[in-house]
Every structure is written in structure tokens, then in C-alpha cells.
Amino acid sequence: MILVSAYLLGQAPGTGGRQSFALLAGAAFGIALQRGRFCFLCNLRDLTREGDPRGALAILVALGFGAIGYAAVFGAWLPNPFGGRLPPTAHIGPVGPALAVAAFVFGVGMAISGSCLSAHLYRLGEGSPTSPFALVGALGGFALGFSTWNAIYVAAIAEAPAVWLPASLGYPGALLLTLAALLALAVLALRLGRAIPSEPATPLTAKGLAAAVFNKRWPFLPAGLAVGAIATLYYLRVAPLGVTAELGSLARTAAASAGALPTTLHGLDGLRGCATAVKETLLSDNGLFVVGLVAASFSAALVSGRFRPALPTSGQAARGLIGGVLMGWGAMTGLGCTVGVLLSGVHAGALSGWIFLVACVAGALTADRVTALLAAAGRPRAV
């Protein structure tokens, strides 16, 4: 179905080729996320709770490989990084307290709901009972973000600089600094974690290879390489990778229709990140990317036996909604999420990507710690 739809889109004049690629790239991304269990929160918790560093290493591999790919693209598109120009459309956002607060709140929402927004999209394909509520909550969070945007923009974003590391260090210097930082984080992950769990060797037979691709969780190296490669190719062909632009556009369109959108959103449409706009077409490039992501993750989950739909409990619904609102507000205020700001930002050599990474992790760990303390306080003490 995805291939047929992509073929039909590709036959349309004008933007058909780009939209076809967006659908196929979204499908590839959904498969990589689902088979690699590529979830920022889950991977962080695997490391901090279980001592399993594989997921964290997959994220770091994706960041490093994508940074190399972006540097190659930048070198062709903008040979001189010192000329005061930024590379076309790259997610190089303003750096300041608003970004840090937005990322922290996003991390808290991520911990409450159980996944980041990109993971909720692929878990929607797995039949997660929480993900639909988290995505609905995110729409509400975006609407809330639009209502608070003007005050925050004037106070903390209007004068915030967009820091692009190659503009100061050149492409080699920025790339070396990025890879060194990622290597340091990889060493930290390995020290915090236990030894990487060993897995039985894959038999070199058609059945064994098929099981490794379609049934078993992908090892961290191919999972990270796949995500980094998709991010680079998508930037080269369409735009920087991001998953919240369509959610934000839906929320902005609904708020505008209801008369709840501010008359002017100061500076928003001129900033770089997961752009939101009042929808004039049924599906944008980003919308097709998200459709491909959910559809392909459903197919991958079905084949691997991970499609396990269940009726939501009241607790799951509440956690999804509350966490989704926080993530939506954080994504709107921070101009993206763990994919649009963190992943695409670090790939681009943007300081905003690193700020989002640190603040988002801090928010998730803080929420986990508070939850653990509340749970401990509620347990009866042994006599």
C-alpha cells in the first residue's frame, strides 16, 4: 500500500516526487524506530534503570553518523561557513532560557507519558493504549503554546542568538567537536551500564537473516546508522527531519478556526525548527512522512509479533493526556522535539540541539526521581 501510494504520488507534477520520497522516508524511519526500539526515553531508562547501554549507543551512533552526513551536504551547499549565512532550512534554533525550559518540560512530559512524541507515533502502530491520548494531549499542548508564545518570545526569544558551530569552528572543527562529545557520552554510557547483553549469533541462512531483520530487535549499530542515514537523505531531498510540524499545524489550524489563535504570533514563522502553519492542503510533506512512519511501524510490529492492542486504563489515558500536553507545549515553544531539535539540531552543528539534549534528559530524570520518591512515600513502612 505504501509503495503503491508513493508511486501514485510520484506521478503527480510539481511536488509529487518530493511527497513520494517523504512517504517512503517516513516508512523507512518507522521501520527503523520500531525494529530498533529507538525511543529516547526508553533508551535512557534502559541505561539508568537496567544498566543496558544499547539504546543510548544507538542514539549516539545516529547523532554521529547524521552529523557526518550533514557536514558533507553543507560542504556542497555552503562551502564557506564563515560568511554569516546559515545552511538552507537547517534546524538551527535560538539558544536561551526559553529553549532550556521548553526542553525540560518536554522531558517531564516524556517521562509521564512513557515515550517521546516520535516513539508514540511508532507505538501507535504497535497498538499502544497510551499513545493516542498522548498525541491528543500534544495537540492541546501546542494550542496552549500558541497562547503563551508572544509573551515568551518578547521576553526570552527575540534577542536569543542562533548559534551554528561551523560558523566559528569551520566544518572540520565543528564535526570533530561533535564526534568527540558523542564519544565521551558513549564512554559514559558504557561505564554507567553493564556489559552489552550477548545475543545468539544469527545463522547465515535465509531464515536466520529474515528473523534478524523482521523479528528480532536490531542491534544498536545498524539501528543508529539507519536513523542517521535517513535523516541525512531526508534533509538532502526534502527538509530536516522532524515529526511535530504536522501536529503543530493541525493544532494551529484548529485554534484559528475556533478563534482561539492570537492575531499575530511574533517572529514564529521566521524561526528555524519544526514549522507550523495554518493548513491549506490535506497532507503536507511532513504529514506524509508521519503517515508513512505510523503505517510502516504497524506493518513491522505485525510481522515481528509486537502488535499488541489493548484497551486503555484510566491511568494510561491520564498519563498520556498530561504528558502529551507538556510535550506539546515544550515542542511548540522549543520549535521541535527530540527529533526536530535534538536529532536534526545536533546533525546540523546547532548549539540548540545540545541544549535540548541536556535539558530534556534533566527533565525526564527529574520526573522519574520525583515519581520514585512519591511512590516510596506512599508505601507502608515495615514494622
Side-chain angles (χ1 to χ4, degrees):
M1 180 64 73
I2 294 175
L3 293 176
V4 172
S5 299
Y7 173 78
L8 294 175
L9 283 170
Q11 303 310 301
T15 61
R18 190 180 69 241
Q19 291 192 329
S20 175
F21 185 87
L23 180 62
L24 292 174
F29 195 59
I31 292 171
L33 295 185
Q34 200 282 324
R35 298 310 313 125
R37 195 171 172 269
F38 198 94
C39 165
F40 285 86
L41 177 71
C42 303
N43 293 341
L44 177 64
R45 284 177 170 173
D46 283 349
L47 178 63
T48 58
R49 295 181 179 183
E50 309 296 332
D52 184 350
R54 290 176 297 175
L57 293 175
I59 292 173
L60 297 174
V61 168
L63 291 172
F65 193 65
I68 295 171
Y70 262 60
V73 174
F74 287 165
W77 288 0
L78 189 66
N80 178 19
F82 303 111
R85 296 172 55 202
L86 295 178
T89 70
H91 286 181
I92 304 166
V95 174
L99 174 63
V101 171
F104 186 90
V105 171
F106 187 95
V108 172
M110 192 168 69
I112 292 173
S113 71
S115 293
C116 59
L117 287 176
S118 58
H120 275 302
L121 287 169
Y122 90 71
R123 287 186 165 173
L124 192 66
E126 292 181 339
S128 165
T130 305
S131 294
F133 294 96
L135 295 171
V136 170
L139 292 173
F142 267 96
L144 178 63
F146 292 132
S147 69
T148 61
W149 171 260
N150 286 337
I152 294 173
Y153 177 80
V154 171
I157 298 177
E159 302 298 326
V163 181
W164 185 44
L165 297 178
S168 301
L169 305 175
Y171 292 128
L175 182 58
L176 286 174
L177 180 61
T178 296
L179 295 179
L182 294 173
L183 179 60
L185 290 176
V187 171
L188 177 62
L190 289 170
R191 289 188 174 181
L192 290 176
R194 307 185 188 96
I196 297 176
S198 59
E199 297 180 357
T202 300
L204 294 178
T205 63
K207 184 177 180 180
L209 292 174
V213 173
F214 298 110
N215 298 110
K216 297 180 181 178
R217 177 182 177 179
W218 289 358
F220 73 86
L221 185 58
L225 290 175
V227 170
I230 293 166
T232 300
L233 291 173
Y234 196 73
Y235 175 56
L236 181 64
R237 186 66 180 82
V238 183
L241 211 59
V243 298
T244 60
E246 189 68 12
L247 287 173
S249 293
L250 288 171
R252 188 169 177 177
T253 302
S257 299
L261 193 69
T263 305
T264 301
L265 291 168
H266 298 314
L268 177 61
D269 295 327
L271 295 173
R272 292 177 176 232
C274 287
T276 63
V278 175
K279 291 180 66 63
E280 297 178 354
T281 59
L282 181 61
L283 282 176
S284 61
D285 294 342
N286 188 257
L288 286 164
F289 181 89
V290 170
V291 168
L293 190 165
V294 175
S297 64
F298 165 72
S299 299
L302 199 62
V303 170
S304 63
R306 292 287 301 175
F307 180 64
R308 299 167 185 172
L311 291 175
T313 65
S314 58
Q316 288 172 326
R319 288 192 297 273
L321 287 170
I322 294 170
V325 168
L326 294 175
M327 286 192 291
W329 183 88
M332 189 276 139
T333 307
L335 304 175
C337 65
T338 46
V339 174
V341 180
L342 196 166
L343 193 76
S344 292
V346 171
H347 287 170
L351 184 59
S352 54
W354 289 100
I355 298 296
F356 196 99
L357 171 62
V358 172
C360 182
V361 168
L365 293 179
T366 299
D368 278 351
R369 181 60 177 164
V370 170
T371 300
L373 290 174
L374 292 175
R379 286 196 295 264
R381 297 181 180 179
V383 179

